């Protein structure tokens, strides 16, 4: 009889633990299904120019960090200083991806705040963005030298995110390539 | 005076209708497919709304993309695979029914039935004691 009386309590405790754990989960967190797959093939114009480049050519042979940003995006502004600092590392290439933005405003933004990118691709209508599964700004994609997307982070880049999420993956890439 | 106010309000409501997107379809079947599809995908910016409801720019882009795919002859399955391949299962407004989501879909029914089961069990036990 006494054991039976414990059943509601055990049920409650199980639910309580589940809910407590769920409080720390982010329901809007969406891992990209493109992780582990090659960067989709697309052609894009360089920001402010008429020259077009192929995605495969841009990422071939180098470890790339593709940073999705726009001049209207406050969060991109917040992470920009950190990216400027990171871009001083010479062994990875930073490629800017200007998403749903006006070219003139984007160019002014880079001129005023500094340009960490080796090159910047322009996607003013967001069509390439859909190809890459972009849904928010800022986003940062880590692409290895074979063109495979290794990781996609949605949100403002900072020191702790960089250390927790990007550095382990970068280490894995370096070990694979024997660099 | 009331007539003037009424006419003014009527004009305002006309403006609201014209603010919606006007899409061109080559057939009724395509129109129906389009509206059915956009009600089944989630807007990833306003994540509790469907692509049909959301005003977010990304939702607009995705609606245009779906329309383009319909016009190019893609099947509903191809369009679904395209979006899920880029945005993941979360882009489906109704979670897919597969091995990973059986519990998600069936748990409410299981809990309801087991609740009833317990109720009947305890009521019967009470009757036996009497």
């Amino acid at each position: 009889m006494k054991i039976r009386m414990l059943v509601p309590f055990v049920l409650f405790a199980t639910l309580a633990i589940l809910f407590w754990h769920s409080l720390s989960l982010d329901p809007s967190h969406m891992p990209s299904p493109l992780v582990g797959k090659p960067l989709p093939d697309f052609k894009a114009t360089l920001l402010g120019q008429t020259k077009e480049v192929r995605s495969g050519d841009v990422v071939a042979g180098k470890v790339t960090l593709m940073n999705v940003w726009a001049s209207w995006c406050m969060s991109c502004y917040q992470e920009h200083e950190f990216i400027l600092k990171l871009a001083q590392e010479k062994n990875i290439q930073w490629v800017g991806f200007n998403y749903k933005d006006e070219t003139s405003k984007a160019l002014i933004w880079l001129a005023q705040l500094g340009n960490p990118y080796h090159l910047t691709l322009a996607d003013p209508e967001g069509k390439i963005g859909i190809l890459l599964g972009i849904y928010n700004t800022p986003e940062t994609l880590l692409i290895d030298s074979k063109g495979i997307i290794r990781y996609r982070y949605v949100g403002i880049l900072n020191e702790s995110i960089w250390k927790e999420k990007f550095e382990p993956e970068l280490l894995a890439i370096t070990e694979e390539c024997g660099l | 005076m009331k007539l003037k106010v009424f006419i003014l309000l009527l004009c305002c409501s006309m403006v609201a209708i014209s603010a919606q997107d006007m899409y061109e379809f080559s057939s009724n079947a395509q129109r129906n497919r389009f509206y059915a599809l956009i009600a089944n995908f989630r807007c990833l910016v306003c994540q509790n709304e469907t692509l049909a409801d959301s005003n977010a720019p990304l939702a607009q882009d995705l609606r245009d993309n779906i329309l383009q795919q319909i016009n190019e002859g893609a099947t509903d399955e191809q369009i679904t695979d395209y979006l899920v391949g880029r945005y993941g299962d979360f882009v489906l407004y109704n979670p897919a029914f597969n091995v990973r989501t059986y519990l998600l879909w069936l748990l409410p029914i299981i809990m309801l039935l087991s609740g009833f089961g317990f109720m009947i069990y305890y009521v019967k036990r009470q009757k036996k004691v009497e």
Side-chain angles (χ1 to χ4, degrees):
Chain A
M1 276 303 280
K2 280 202 177 157
I3 296 179
R4 282 233 186 87
M5 282 160 61
L6 276 182
V7 170
F9 174 73
V10 168
L11 272 173
F12 169 76
T14 318
L15 282 176
I17 294 170
L18 265 172
F19 290 156
W20 186 261
H21 170 65
S22 296
L23 277 177
S24 61
L25 296 175
D26 179 4
S28 65
H29 169 64
M30 269 176 50
S32 168
L34 292 176
V35 168
K37 300 213 174 86
L39 183 71
D41 178 49
F42 61 88
K43 275 204 279 207
T45 339
L46 292 178
L47 184 69
Q49 303 174 33
T50 48
K51 181 174 170 204
E52 263 195 346
V53 291
R54 257 232 131 82
S55 58
D57 296 332
V58 172
V59 298
K62 303 179 196 137
V63 175
T64 306
L65 279 153
M66 188 173 286
N67 179 246
V68 180
W69 65 276
S71 62
W72 44 258
C73 163
M74 276 313 295
S75 308
C76 307
Y77 175 78
Q78 286 180 298
E79 69 168 10
H80 197 71
E81 208 175 303
F82 182 64
I83 294 182
L84 278 165
K85 200 181 85 172
L86 285 175
Q88 287 165 9
E89 292 269 331
K90 296 299 172 200
N91 56 352
I92 36 180
Q93 129 177 284
W94 280 88
V95 171
F97 189 93
N98 186 241
Y99 179 67
K100 290 183 77 71
D101 205 355
E102 279 179 51
T103 303
S104 49
K105 293 197 176 145
L107 288 168
I108 293 171
W109 199 85
L110 285 177
Q112 286 180 340
L113 300 173
N115 187 350
Y117 309 117
H118 290 93
L119 46 89
T120 305
L121 308 172
D123 185 21
E125 289 172 26
K127 294 209 157 95
I128 307 176
I130 295 181
L131 204 64
L132 300 178
I134 293 170
Y135 68 97
N136 213 334
T137 47
E139 285 189 26
T140 308
L141 290 100
L142 174 58
I143 304 159
D144 70 21
S145 50
K146 300 197 188 89
I148 310 282
I149 300 177
R150 301 294 289 249
Y151 185 65
R152 190 268 297 265
Y153 181 70
V154 179
I156 301 171
L157 264 187
N158 56 35
E159 192 75 48
S160 55
I161 300 285
W162 181 256
K163 283 208 160 70
E164 273 175 44
K165 314 270 187 192
F166 282 88
E167 280 187 350
E169 202 60 49
L170 277 167
L171 195 62
I173 296 175
T174 328
E175 284 171 354
E176 281 164 28
C177 300
L179 282 170
Chain B
M1 185 55 198
K2 274 190 190 170
L3 183 64
K4 285 184 191 167
V5 172
F6 175 73
I7 292 176
L8 183 66
L9 288 173
L10 197 63
C11 294
C12 291
S13 68
M14 291 298 145
V15 170
I17 292 171
S18 65
Q20 282 201 342
D21 308 309
M22 300 302 285
Y23 289 112
E24 297 266 319
F25 298 99
S26 52
S27 70
N28 266 334
Q30 288 203 339
R31 170 184 281 115
N32 293 336
R33 275 183 64 202
F34 177 73
Y35 284 111
L37 278 171
I38 62 175
N40 268 330
F41 292 117
R42 187 188 304 272
C43 170
L44 299 145
V45 177
C46 315
Q47 290 177 344
N48 284 322
E49 296 184 349
T50 63
L51 287 185
D53 301 326
S54 175
N55 287 321
L58 179 65
Q60 174 69 58
D61 290 345
L62 287 172
R63 285 195 294 263
D64 290 344
N65 181 280
I66 292 175
L67 181 61
Q68 191 186 341
Q69 290 199 46
I70 290 181
N71 284 333
E72 286 168 358
T75 64
D76 285 1
E77 201 181 315
Q78 284 171 325
I79 296 174
T80 307
D81 287 343
Y82 182 86
L83 288 176
V84 171
R86 280 159 182 76
Y87 290 101
D89 288 335
F90 196 55
V91 78
L92 296 168
Y93 198 67
N94 296 312
F97 190 68
N98 57 39
V99 173
R100 286 182 300 166
T101 59
Y102 283 156
L103 212 59
L104 177 69
W105 281 102
L106 298 175
L107 198 61
I109 302 172
I110 293 173
M111 287 181 77
L112 192 67
L113 288 176
S114 50
F116 273 131
F118 273 121
M119 244 172 53
I120 296 170
Y121 172 72
Y122 280 123
V123 165
K124 281 198 175 151
R125 273 186 73 236
Q126 296 278 43
K127 288 204 170 151
K128 270 194 189 157
V129 168
E130 285 165 21

